[in-house]
Amino acid sequence: SGRGYHWLKYHVDEVQNVIDQTIAMQDVAPPGFQIHYDFNANSTYEKIAPVIKELEKFPIAGRIEDPIVTTDRSGWRRLRAETKLPLLVHHGPADFMVDGLCDGLMAGHAPIGSAAKTAAVAEATGIPIMLQQCGGTINQSFLAHEAAVFKMATIDHVNLAHLWSEDVTAQRMPVDDGHVTVLDEPGLGLTLDKKKIEE
């Protein structure tokens, strides 16, 4: 959180001691910091429901992505009715929003046309979305521009720009209290560092 972030996306599965790991994270997390659990859409309602029920006990537990396979629509409906944690779908169709099976949708690695269609469905249904565009500062600036024009892109987005110790741009986009500022220079607002590109 010292870098301005409020969330950490965490890939797990039901056999990885997720509760023990949550206890360890809860012990060191600053107040208000939360975990976005990604269960990778590879399990069943019967296996995941008790894990989610246990996660509800922790203030650090913020939301669940892809808790079960997307073919089990009745399982999604049951989980959504039973848990207070928001459920996000990533590896599932946009009609999850139309059918009320999720609390939000992640448009991950989505080409701009696909992301725009998802954003339109989100606006029509009132279901928020998040974007996951993993890459450097160029990618982060593009994501910020995208999120700024998608009305329902209100869930914290995923970008890996700050995992890079250096980048090919002359400037970085710091995270301030969970947000980045959309750059207002031409294009994406960035200047390429030719020396870094050559390196």
Side-chain angles (χ1 to χ4, degrees):
S1 81
R3 291 187 170 189
Y5 289 94
H6 295 171
W7 288 85
L8 171 72
K9 180 173 173 180
Y10 177 49
H11 278 268
V12 295
D13 117 352
E14 70 281 358
V15 298
Q16 292 179 320
N17 300 315
V18 64
I19 303 305
D20 290 342
Q21 292 172 14
T22 298
I23 291 169
M25 290 186 284
Q26 184 71 65
D27 287 345
V28 299
F33 193 83
Q34 293 195 291
I35 304 299
H36 168 131
Y37 297 87
D38 184 348
F39 281 87
N40 300 301
N42 64 2
S43 194
T44 64
Y45 168 85
E46 290 75 20
K47 289 180 182 175
I48 293 298
V51 175
I52 293 175
K53 186 55 67 180
E54 192 67 22
L55 286 174
E56 288 179 353
K57 299 175 183 177
F58 299 93
I60 198 171
R63 59 183 169 238
I64 308 291
E65 176 189 340
D66 285 344
I68 61 175
V69 295
T70 55
T71 53
D72 183 5
R73 294 171 81 88
S74 64
W76 274 84
R77 199 173 301 283
R78 287 176 67 189
L79 283 175
R80 188 157 187 240
E82 294 168 1
T83 183
K84 62 183 181 183
L85 295 174
L87 300 181
L88 306 183
V89 65
H90 178 189
H91 296 288
D95 72 2
F96 265 56
M97 294 186 285
V98 175
D99 294 341
L101 298 176
C102 62
D103 298 294
L105 183 139
M106 174 188 281
H109 321 293
I112 186 65
S114 175
K117 288 176 185 176
T118 298
V121 174
E123 190 168 342
T125 60
I127 301 286
I129 62 171
M130 67 186 298
L131 302 167
Q132 178 172 266
Q133 306 286 11
C134 302
T137 306
I138 295 170
N139 191 293
Q140 182 184 31
S141 184
F142 177 74
L143 186 153
H145 278 79
E146 237 182 342
V149 297
F150 295 158
K151 182 179 179 182
M152 294 305 296
T154 58
I155 304 172
D156 301 75
H157 308 287
V158 177
N159 182 274
L160 305 180
H162 294 139
L163 293 181
W164 298 32
S165 61
E166 293 187 37
D167 206 339
V168 296
T169 57
Q171 62 274 77
R172 302 298 287 261
M173 296 177 69
V175 177
D176 182 26
D177 194 26
H179 298 85
V180 296
T181 300
V182 176
L183 302 173
D184 58 4
E185 298 297 318
L188 293 178
L190 298 166
T191 304
L192 296 180
D193 184 324
K194 292 180 181 178
K195 183 180 177 185
K196 288 182 181 178
I197 291 173
E198 288 172 6
E199 289 173 1

